[in-house]
Amino acid sequence: MIKKEAIDSIIEDYKPKDIKIATLCSHCALQVFHGARSEGIKTIGICTPERKKIYDAFALAKPDEYILIDDPKNLLSSGIDDELIGKNAILVPHGSLVEYGGEEIENFKAPILGNRKSLVWERDRIKMFEWMREARIQTPRLLRPEEIDRPCIVKFSGAKGGRGYIAVNSPEEFERKVNKKEGVIIQEYLAGVRFYPHFFYTPLSREGYRAGEGSVELIGIDRRYESNVDEIYRPLSTGMDIKPSFTVVGNEPVVVRESLLNEIFEIGKNVIEAAERLFGGIPGPFCVETVCDENLQFYAFEISSRIVAGTNLYPEGSHYTVYNYPEWMSMGRRIAREIRIAIAKEKLHKIVY
Amino acid sequence: MIKKEAIDSIIEDYKPKDIKIATLCSHCALQVFHGARSEGIKTIGICTPERKKIYDAFALAKPDEYILIDDPKNLLSSGIDDELIGKNAILVPHGSLVEYGGEEIENFKAPILGNRKSLVWERDRIKMFEWMREARIQTPRLLRPEEIDRPCIVKFSGAKGGRGYIAVNSPEEFERKVNKKEGVIIQEYLAGVRFYPHFFYTPLSREGYRAGEGSVELIGIDRRYESNVDEIYRPLSTGMDIKPSFTVVGNEPVVVRESLLNEIFEIGKNVIEAAERLFGGIPGPFCVETVCDENLQFYAFEISSRIVAGTNLYPEGSHYTVYNYPEWMSMGRRIAREIRIAIAKEKLHKIVY
Amino acid sequence: MIKKEAIDSIIEDYKPKDIKIATLCSHCALQVFHGARSEGIKTIGICTPERKKIYDAFALAKPDEYILIDDPKNLLSSGIDDELIGKNAILVPHGSLVEYGGEEIENFKAPILGNRKSLVWERDRIKMFEWMREARIQTPRLLRPEEIDRPCIVKFSGAKGGRGYIAVNSPEEFERKVNKKEGVIIQEYLAGVRFYPHFFYTPLSREGYRAGEGSVELIGIDRRYESNVDEIYRPLSTGMDIKPSFTVVGNEPVVVRESLLNEIFEIGKNVIEAAERLFGGIPGPFCVETVCDENLQFYAFEISSRIVAGTNLYPEGSHYTVYNYPEWMSMGRRIAREIRIAIAKEKLHKIVY
C-alpha cells in the first residue's frame, strides 16, 4: 500500500483554492457533485461514454468536467491517479468504485477521502467481523459449513450490492448451492427489521456526539430495497418456485424510534474508535448495516467505510440533518463542507489517505 | 375523435394571459392546483359538492374557482367542455378523470394537456402491449386462457386503480374466478420489485435527456401501496383465507440504484418515440409501471400516459428534480411551467390535443 | 383528577411572554424542541443524564434548558410539576411520557397541552373502543376469549409501542399464550394495509375542515415499522420458528389515494366531536390508527390522543402541510404555533388542561 506520507506530500502541493472533488459516475455521484457544487467546489466525473448522457441530463448535478474511461474495471490502473493529481483532485470512494477498483485502490497515487485502509477492512469479510467485534457490537454468529444448523446467508467478498448472496439451512444445502467456497462467510440469519444509519465522522470538531478525537453525526437512515426478496410476499409468489435473491435495487426512507438513537450513536462511536485502534481511523462517511430485533437490540452485519447509496434518499437533507443545519445538508454536501473546513484549517491530511 | 385542428383552433382563440388549468377534484388535483398557483396560473376544480370541503381545507392547493357537478360519471357529457372553453381552460387528465370520462374524452371539445389519443391506447390493454412492444421494452408474457401454466394476473380495461385484478394459476382457476372474460388480458406474474418512474416529456426543449424531437425528464419514482396484498405477509394473515387484492390505496417513496438510471431513461425515451410512430407522441407527464428482477432487468407491465398519483409524494420536488431545478418542482408545477413556456413560445398546439 | 379550574388559574398566572414548552427527552422531543425554536418559544427537556448527550448532539433541536431526572418512571411524582410551573412551562405529552407517567399524570399540577382526560381514555382500551363507537367509526370486532374463531391480536393497556402484543387463533391458544388476562382486549385481525393519519385539532379557528367548534388539519400520514413482523416475509424467516412480534421501531412515509381524504377527514372530525360529547374534547394533536381494506373501507383500531412518533418523518413539513402553509410546518411547530396563537388571543385555557 502506498505510504500515507506520499499522499500527504501530494496533498500538500495542491493549490488550496483549486481543489476539486472527483468520483466515478455511478452509485451516488449525482449527490456528490450536487453537494460539492453547493459548497463551491468544482467536480470531475470519471465516466464511461454511454453513461455521460445520464449525468448531462441533470443540470445541477453534472460534473464540471469529465474524464472518460472505456471500462470502469480499469478505473484505477489507467493513469487516472496522475490525471487527478494534475487537477488538484480528491477522489471520493463509493460502493461501485470500491467494487470496480479492487485491490488496486491500495496503490492509487491520488488522495482518497477517508482512510483507504478501511476499504481493505471492508472488502475482507473476516476482517470486517474482527472490526465489529473490536467495536463490541453485537453481530450475527458466523458459522463453519459443518455447523449450519439454522437459516444462514452465505456472502462473498466485495461490495456487489447484495448480488449472489445465497440462503442455506444445512451443511448439505451449503455443499449443493455454493460453488466457490473460498473467502465466503456463513452468517446466521437474524429475525428483525433492517436499519442502515449513515454516519459522518469528523476528526476536526468536538461539537456533536463525541467519538475518538472528534465527533460523529447522524446524516440519515434508510432501508434497502432488494430484488426479489422485498416483494416475495406478494402472494402469487407463493405459487412459484422462486429462489430468494438479495440484489439491492433501491432504497426507502425510514426514521428510527427516538429512544433508539442512543444505541445508534454508540454503534457509530464504537466503530470509529475501533477503527482508530485497528488501522488509524475512518474520517468521513460510513454506514453500519444493522437489524433491530423485537427486544430493541441492534445487531450489525456489515460496515461500509465510505458513502452508501442510501444517502441518495436525502439530496436536500434528512429527518436528522434538519436538527443540525439551518441549510439543507446531504452526505454529498457534508463531504464537500468537510473538505472546505479542512482546507481552511490546513488539515487536509487529517481527512484523506 | 374530435380533430386535432379543431382543438388547435380553439386554443388559438384563447387569451394567452388568461389561460387556466382545470382538472377533476380527485387523484392528484391538490398537487396540480398547488403547482399551477406557484407558476401564477389560475385553476378550476371540477368537483362534486361533497368533495368541495376537502379542497377548501387546503388554503394553498384549493382551486381558484369550482365547477360543481353532480356525478363525475357525467363529467365529460354535460357541457363542461363548453364551459372550460369559455374560461380559457386546459384540462389536465389524470387516472380518475380517465376512468370516469370513459370514451367520451375522445370528443371532448376543450383542449386536453397531452395527446388524447394516448388515453385510448392506455385504456385498451391490448393496444398498450402493442405500444410497449413497439418501444422494444421487455414485458411479461401475455397468455391465452388455455396457456395458463404459471401464476398470472388477470386485468380488465381501464384505470381502476388496481381494483378487481384477479390472480390465477391454471385454466381451470381462470374459468372459475373470472366472470367477464371479454377485454381482459392475462399477464404472467414476474418476480422482482416494482418501480414506477414518473417522466415528463417536453417537445419544446433539447436540454436534458434527448428523446424524440425534445427531451425527457425523470420527475420521481414511487412504489404503489396496494390493499391487501402489501401487508398480506403480516403473519396472522397466514391463518386466514385471504384472497389477495390489488387496490391501490397509497404510495411510498423510493430511489433506484443509480446505475439503473440508464435503463430508466431509455425506457422513457423508447416509450416516447414509439408513441410518436404509433399515434403522434405523448407530450407531458407519463409513467411506465415496471418490475426490476434480481438480474437488474426491467420489465414494463403498464403505461399511464398522463400524470400518476405517485407524484403526490413529491409536492415540493423529488430526489431527482433537485438535481435539475434550483426551486422546488413537482409534477403539477412542471405541467404549469410547460404551459407557461408554450404560451411564451406560442407553441401551445404542441402540448395539447 | 386535578380540577380544570386549578390548571386554568395556574396558566392565568403565567407570564405570556415567557411561556415555555417542556417535554420528556424521548419519542418526538427533537421535533417538539425544533418546532418550538422556529416559533420563538423556549424549551425545557426533562432528561436522564445518559440521554443528554443525544440531545446535545443536535444543535437546532436541543432544549434551551434541561431538568435532569434519575428515572423517567418518577417523572410525574418528583416535584417536576412545581418546577415547570415555576418556569412558566406547558408540558407536551407524548407516548413515552404517557407510558412512564402512568396514572399520576391525572394529578400533575402543571398545565398539559390538550385535555388530560383524553390520556385516561387512551390508556384504557375498553374506553378507547367506546370512544371509537361514539364516533361511529368502523372498528375491528372485540371478542371474548371463548368467542375466538379467527385470527386475533391480544393487546394490553398502555402505550408500550406495540411490545407484548400476542397473536391467537383460538380460545385454547389464548389460554396457553396469555398469562395476564385482566385488562386485555382481544381484537379481530383485519386484512388490509395500515395508515396512521396525524391530525391537529384547533378550537381557535374555523378555517380548514370544520370539526366541533373549530377545525381539523391533516399534518401527515405514516406507516409504522414493526419488529419483527414487518420483515417476517423475507424468506429465510419461513425456515425459522419465529414468533411474530409487533414492537414499533420506526416509521415510513406514505401518502393516501386522494379520493380517500374524504374518509380520513371525517374520521378525524368524528373522533373530535365524540371526544367533546364524552369528556370535553381534544385540542391539539392526535392520531387514529387505521387499516384500509381492498374495498377502500377504513377500520380504526386505536386512538392516540397526543402527538405520535410518526410525525418525526416530517420535521420540515409533509405532503399535506405544504398545501396549507407557505413555510415548513411540522407537528412540533404546529403545537408551538397554537400556543403562540392562544397567547395572543388570551385563550390558553382552551388548549391546556
Side-chain angles (χ1 to χ4, degrees), chain B residues 322-335:
Chain B
V322 67
Y323 296 142
N324 252 333
Y325 294 96
E327 67 280 30
W328 62 264
M329 185 57 59
S330 66
M331 185 64 94
R333 185 172 186 176
R334 184 65 189 83
I335 289 170

Side-chain angles (χ1 to χ4, degrees), chain A residues 32-181:
Chain A
V32 168
F33 298 144
H34 180 252
R37 174 186 296 257
S38 68
E39 292 290 311
I41 297 181
K42 297 281 184 198
T43 54
I44 300 166
I46 305 164
C47 196
T48 54
E50 68 272 17
R51 286 271 172 94
K52 185 171 175 297
K53 63 186 171 184
I54 297 295
Y55 288 83
D56 282 337
F58 293 101
L60 304 179
K62 66 181 173 190
D64 291 296
E65 59 179 300
Y66 288 97
I67 296 177
L68 292 180
I69 53 171
D70 284 336
D71 184 347
K73 279 178 191 135
N74 305 327
L75 171 61
L76 301 177
S77 54
S78 51
I80 283 179
D81 44 6
D82 286 323
E83 200 168 346
L84 291 182
I85 292 169
K87 289 175 186 290
N88 266 310
I90 295 170
L91 183 69
V92 172
H94 53 55
S96 307
L97 195 144
V98 168
E99 174 60 21
Y100 289 125
E103 294 180 14
E104 300 182 35
I105 210 163
E106 297 181 27
N107 289 310
F108 196 70
K109 282 179 284 175
I112 295 176
L113 180 83
N115 177 357
R116 69 181 72 194
K117 280 188 190 165
S118 72
L119 303 175
V120 177
W121 283 73
E122 169 185 336
R123 198 170 51 231
D124 180 332
R125 293 194 179 276
I126 308 291
K127 278 177 127 58
M128 188 195 286
F129 267 80
E130 194 184 322
W131 184 0
M132 294 193 284
R133 271 192 296 262
E134 173 71 23
R136 299 177 315 278
I137 305 173
Q138 300 182 93
T139 61
R141 267 191 66 190
L142 294 189
L143 293 96
R144 286 191 302 272
E146 66 274 17
E147 290 176 320
I148 302 172
D149 59 352
R150 67 194 75 186
C152 292
I153 298 187
V154 181
K155 294 181 174 180
F156 301 85
S157 285
K160 291 197 178 62
R163 296 186 80 172
Y165 288 178
I166 298 175
V168 299
N169 282 284
S170 65
E172 295 71 38
E173 209 175 345
F174 177 82
E175 283 304 315
R176 202 172 64 241
K177 286 184 168 176
V178 180
N179 297 321
K180 188 179 156 292
K181 295 188 176 58

Side-chain angles (χ1 to χ4, degrees), chain C residues 249-291:
Chain C
V249 291
N251 303 269
E252 299 176 308
V254 70
V255 293
V256 75
R257 188 171 172 145
E258 190 163 305
S259 59
L260 299 176
L261 287 178
N262 239 334
E263 281 74 13
I264 301 251
F265 272 104
E266 281 297 297
I267 286 171
K269 171 186 158 78
N270 289 334
V271 163
I272 289 161
E273 296 179 350
E276 293 193 345
R277 290 192 297 274
L278 291 173
F279 53 83
I282 43 164
F286 67 101
C287 175
V288 185
E289 285 83 348
T290 68
V291 164

Side-chain angles (χ1 to χ4, degrees), chain A residues 199-218:
Chain A
F199 297 105
F200 190 91
Y201 170 58
T202 174
L204 305 181
S205 162
R206 296 290 278 168
E207 287 171 40
Y209 197 88
R210 291 191 178 196
E213 52 172 323
S215 62
V216 60
E217 297 169 28
L218 178 63

